[in-house]
Amino acid sequence: MQNLQITIPKNRNTTNNSVQPNKHISRFGSVAGNIPWWRGASGGLSSCGFTSKLYERFDVKKWVLVGMYTDSDRMQDYRRPPLPAFRSLGKLRVLTMTSRGNCKYSCATATETLEWIRAIIDFTNPYSFFWESHVVNFLTHRLWEAVDKEWIDCLRNEPVEYLVQIPSGIVQDHWPSSLKKFITTSSSLAFPREQADLRKILPNMQVALLNDVITQGMNPKKRHEIEALAAVVSSVAQDVKTNTVIDVGAGQGYLSQVLSFEYQLSVIAIDASSHHGRITQARAQRIKKHYDARMRKSSLGGRDMRMPKTVTCRVLSSDMLKALVNSENVDGQNDMLLTGLHACGDLSVTMLRTFLESEQVKAVVSIGCCYNLLSEEEAGDDALCGFPISGGVKSTGIRLKRSARDLACQSADRWRCLEKDGGLDNFELHAFRAAFQMVLCRYFPETLTTSPTIGRQGKSLRRRQQQRSVTNSTATEEETETGDCREDDDAITTSGKTQDADRYSLFEKFSQSGMHRLNLNNRNIDFAGIWKEAEPFAELIGAYWSLRAALGPVLETLILLDRLLFLQEQGQGVEAVMLPIFDPTVSPRNIALIATKNNYKV
């Protein structure tokens, strides 16, 4: 980032109107700078790896400059995420990025976004053996042999607390320089996940404090997501002068109901499940009674509370979603906003296409999920797929395939929060699954042609642990690609202190449960012999998984930047921003892609 050509008065006079902002400064609250995003517990700047003397802060009416720094000012703490900055582009701000190290990456323009994407591709290509493989094949394919031997030898005896921090870019001084470079470069290429200070970024945003009636049935994660997203949607709706919101993939209608009853927006809730539609209607009726009673006691007694309208439809294309939009806007007079909380797979992409193709849709606020479910374009295939969607990424020829898209679902922030026993438990479960793959290869090779899934055994086993709630916060790779797990009466429990003699017994129970799930017969399988072969290499799986997981946030960034670039390629008629609006330790898929059209009515 170039040094700003501006003189800062020594007395920091905040009322000095002679200071004129240039194009690098935003006048949207304190959006222009780095402070709000990465404050430490103390709220100071030193936690970001910079000395506070590098920063100056002043306010000139609505123009605020916060913490811009020059090329010569380098970050000293490689364990911290990169600092973001904003530039003004009309109504919305486009997030720009300054990375650690010698290179800078920005997504302020299509050209800069594509440069960032190409940097990711150039970096990840030599490590395709990580993201093209799957940890279930760790033993059968001897995956550790593809990794630098110096790295494996270094990490095999490292404390588990160090390993689980690798995906977050945290390194140890005594590690090989090439290993540290791999980890820190991975982290520097990933989009920052720390929750943004939304009140400063969206000055007109009002956050409704949700009562117990409207939050009934929400777990803490869902409540956190709904509170933040509803406030953002309401703010963007005000910006584009619309009162109508279409909630795509509405589920049980939590977001729709908050937007209706708390923000007084007209909401259409679309979901593929008729069961969800019935639940949404019944729940909304109960909530309406509460709000009607509250209205009668207030000065707004005659005001009518609107309920969300539910539509049951499986949205398979932008044409289908456009038809729904048009059917709800017969006279063509109502502008609309599209939103979706964790719309799975291609559905998030369908929302972006509909935003561009429908004249009535003036804005979109999309938070994607389930990248493993994205359809992917094959060579020579002109079909509308979920990845890649931008012309720039298509021109690179990159293809991720299922294993890489699974990896993009990993949460570095949740792993970083694990304690020792939680990390050991999860690595042990990965070892059991990899050893079970040996059972399938040796005794049931025909099952491998159908890519067998054995259920969310990891989650089931962890749920049975004694008082180990931290472990429940981790989604293993098996969880992202499999269905539910049967609850066995003799379900296995694991512990970070499991003795070696007990691990074979746990592995055998794990395997028998998996065979039951796959409807396979136990035909005198030598579980003891297989575990004896697997156990000497089980200690390597934690190191391998951690190194591989370091690429997860980078691959997710690639998918998200592809979507942003798709919008940027439309020219000046569309403005877009990517913002992390949730706490990533609570909700790992926390990046909202927000876009508006420049031709909306002011």
Side-chain angles (χ1 to χ4, degrees):
M1 181 178 295
Q2 298 299 316
N3 197 13
L4 296 180
Q5 301 301 312
I6 190 167
T7 301
I8 303 176
K10 289 185 178 180
N11 63 5
R12 314 294 192 267
N13 184 354
T14 61
T15 61
N16 184 355
N17 294 336
S18 64
V19 180
Q20 296 299 317
N22 66 12
K23 65 178 181 179
H24 293 294
I25 309 176
S26 171
R27 57 172 182 163
F28 294 89
S30 58
V31 173
N34 302 329
I35 285 181
W37 217 304
W38 306 105
R39 285 188 184 274
S42 66
L45 292 169
S46 60
S47 63
C48 295
F50 288 87
T51 58
S52 58
K53 67 181 181 181
L54 292 177
Y55 284 79
E56 305 284 3
R57 181 180 183 130
F58 67 93
D59 299 76
V60 185
K61 291 188 175 180
K62 290 186 178 180
W63 296 86
V64 181
L65 168 65
V66 186
M68 312 297 273
Y69 66 99
T70 68
D71 289 342
S72 60
D73 299 327
R74 296 302 181 194
M75 293 186 75
Q76 302 300 314
D77 186 353
Y78 287 98
R79 296 173 297 178
R80 295 289 180 181
L83 296 174
F86 286 92
R87 294 181 184 178
S88 170
L89 278 182
K91 293 287 185 181
L92 285 176
R93 281 67 65 202
V94 177
L95 177 66
T96 65
M97 172 80 63
T98 302
S99 78
R100 286 156 287 192
N102 296 321
C103 297
K104 303 189 286 270
Y105 300 102
S106 166
C107 53
T109 67
T111 300
E112 292 172 330
T113 302
L114 184 56
E115 180 183 357
W116 190 350
I117 288 169
R118 285 174 173 159
I120 290 174
I121 294 172
D122 289 343
F123 171 71
T124 56
N125 271 340
Y127 302 105
S128 60
F129 58 85
F130 276 134
W131 50 268
E132 288 181 348
S133 61
H134 202 289
V135 178
V136 298
N137 296 315
F138 179 75
L139 297 169
T140 55
H141 294 177
R142 301 180 68 87
L143 296 179
W144 66 90
E145 293 181 349
V147 185
D148 189 317
K149 187 175 185 299
E150 185 182 23
W151 296 6
I152 290 292
D153 289 343
C154 169
L155 297 178
R156 68 189 303 165
N157 295 318
E158 288 292 271
V160 68
E161 298 96 315
Y162 290 175
L163 298 182
V164 296
Q165 295 181 80
I166 286 176
S168 296
I170 300 176
V171 302
Q172 306 303 318
D173 291 340
H174 62 278
W175 289 356
S177 58
S178 61
L179 173 58
K180 289 190 287 187
K181 182 178 180 181
F182 167 77
I183 296 169
T184 56
T185 303
S186 295
S187 184
S188 72
L189 285 167
F191 195 88
R193 309 307 297 265
E194 195 76 15
Q195 185 178 13
D197 190 334
L198 297 175
R199 292 181 186 272
K200 293 185 177 180
I201 295 171
L202 302 170
N204 69 338
M205 188 181 78
Q206 300 294 323
V207 180
L209 297 178
L210 305 184
N211 58 64
D212 292 340
V213 174
I214 203 165
T215 60
Q216 184 177 8
M218 297 185 197
N219 59 30
K221 173 178 179 289
K222 184 64 68 176
R223 180 168 183 162
H224 171 73
E225 294 168 344
I226 296 299
E227 283 183 341
L229 180 56
V232 170
V233 168
S234 175
S235 175
V236 176
Q238 290 179 53
D239 284 344
V240 298
K241 314 298 183 186
T242 183
N243 195 51
T244 304
V245 175
I246 298 183
D247 182 8
V248 183
Q252 297 185 42
Y254 294 137
L255 176 61
S256 297
Q257 289 151 9
V258 170
L259 291 172
S260 289
F261 294 115
E262 287 290 341
Y263 293 94
Q264 290 79 54
L265 293 169
S266 175
V267 183
I268 301 156
I270 301 175
D271 196 83
S273 169
S274 58
H275 174 66
H276 282 165
R278 290 191 295 271
I279 291 177
T280 299
Q281 281 292 98
R283 189 173 184 275
Q285 288 172 356
R286 292 195 301 270
I287 295 172
K288 186 175 184 299
K289 291 180 181 178
H290 168 79
Y291 280 82
D292 284 343
R294 194 167 71 175
M295 284 290 183
R296 285 194 295 271
K297 295 178 182 179
S298 71
S299 59
L300 303 175
R303 185 172 179 177
D304 183 38
M305 298 299 297
R306 288 177 294 186
M307 287 176 34
K309 178 180 179 180
T310 60
V311 176
T312 299
C313 177
R314 188 174 185 85
V315 177
L316 300 176
S317 67
S318 58
D319 288 339
M320 185 178 293
L321 187 52
K322 276 193 301 180
L324 286 171
V325 169
N326 293 335
S327 68
E328 299 299 331
N329 190 26
V330 178
D331 57 6
Q333 298 301 309
N334 293 328
D335 292 340
M336 297 183 175
L337 179 151
L338 283 180
T339 191
L341 173 57
H342 294 151
C344 289
D346 289 351
L347 188 55
S348 293
V349 175
T350 297
M351 290 170 58
L352 301 184
R353 291 193 172 109
T354 304
F355 161 70
L356 295 177
E357 296 170 5
S358 175
E359 183 179 351
Q360 286 75 36
V361 178
K362 303 303 181 183
V364 62
V365 181
S366 170
I367 303 177
C369 188
C370 303
Y371 308 125
N372 51 308
L373 299 180
L374 284 171
S375 61
E376 193 161 3
E377 184 180 79
E378 301 296 335
D381 184 4
D382 293 329
L384 295 178
C385 298
F387 179 86
I389 61 172
S390 68
V393 177
K394 288 180 180 180
S395 70
T396 68
I398 184 70
R399 299 293 180 268
L400 292 181
K401 299 184 180 179
R402 177 63 180 264
S403 290
R405 287 183 275 111
D406 278 344
L407 182 55
C409 297
Q410 286 293 332
S411 170
D413 296 279
R414 285 184 166 185
W415 277 90
R416 187 177 65 242
C417 296
L418 283 182
E419 296 178 356
K420 177 181 178 180
D421 286 353
L424 288 173
D425 290 337
N426 279 279
F427 291 150
E428 189 170 76
L429 289 169
H430 279 296
F432 289 164
R433 179 61 183 89
F436 180 64
Q437 194 78 348
M438 293 176 65
V439 174
L440 297 180
C441 286
R442 195 161 300 176
Y443 292 93
F444 308 97
E446 66 281 1
T447 64
L448 299 179
T449 60
T450 60
S451 299
T453 59
I454 61 173
R456 299 179 102 178
Q457 291 200 88
K459 184 174 181 179
S460 176
L461 303 187
R462 289 195 299 274
R463 189 162 50 232
R464 299 300 183 94
Q465 292 178 39
Q466 296 179 351
Q467 306 296 322
R468 293 199 195 282
S469 61
V470 292
T471 318
N472 282 325
S473 68
T474 300
T476 66
E477 289 177 72
E478 286 77 24
E479 291 172 9
T480 64
E481 66 165 1
T482 58
D484 295 330
C485 173
R486 86 182 170 95
E487 298 286 347
D488 295 323
D489 292 335
D490 59 343
I492 314 161
T493 58
T494 64
S495 168
K497 300 179 181 178
T498 304
Q499 299 297 317
D500 290 343
D502 296 332
R503 287 195 172 94
Y504 160 66
S505 175
L506 293 175
F507 162 66
E508 184 176 5
K509 288 182 178 180
F510 182 100
S511 298
Q512 289 174 343
S513 178
M515 292 175 62
H516 177 88
R517 180 74 177 185
L518 298 174
N519 295 316
L520 299 175
N521 294 322
N522 185 341
R523 48 189 189 190
N524 299 319
I525 296 174
D526 183 12
F527 291 113
I530 288 178
W531 184 245
K532 186 176 180 180
E533 292 180 44
E535 192 170 26
F537 304 102
E539 67 177 15
L540 304 179
I541 204 164
Y544 180 87
W545 184 94
S546 299
L547 291 170
R548 183 175 183 269
L551 294 175
V554 184
L555 295 173
E556 181 180 19
T557 298
L558 173 60
I559 293 172
L560 294 174
L561 290 178
D562 173 49
R563 297 176 182 183
L564 177 63
L565 181 58
F566 172 67
L567 297 174
Q568 291 173 330
E569 289 172 342
Q570 311 308 313
Q572 296 182 352
V574 173
E575 296 171 352
V577 61
M578 294 200 314
L579 290 176
I581 68 172
F582 307 142
D583 180 343
T585 63
V586 176
S587 181
R589 306 279 76 75
N590 72 334
I591 305 295
L593 181 54
I594 307 170
T596 64
K597 293 174 181 174
N598 280 333
N599 60 349
Y600 61 79
K601 290 176 278 188
V602 179

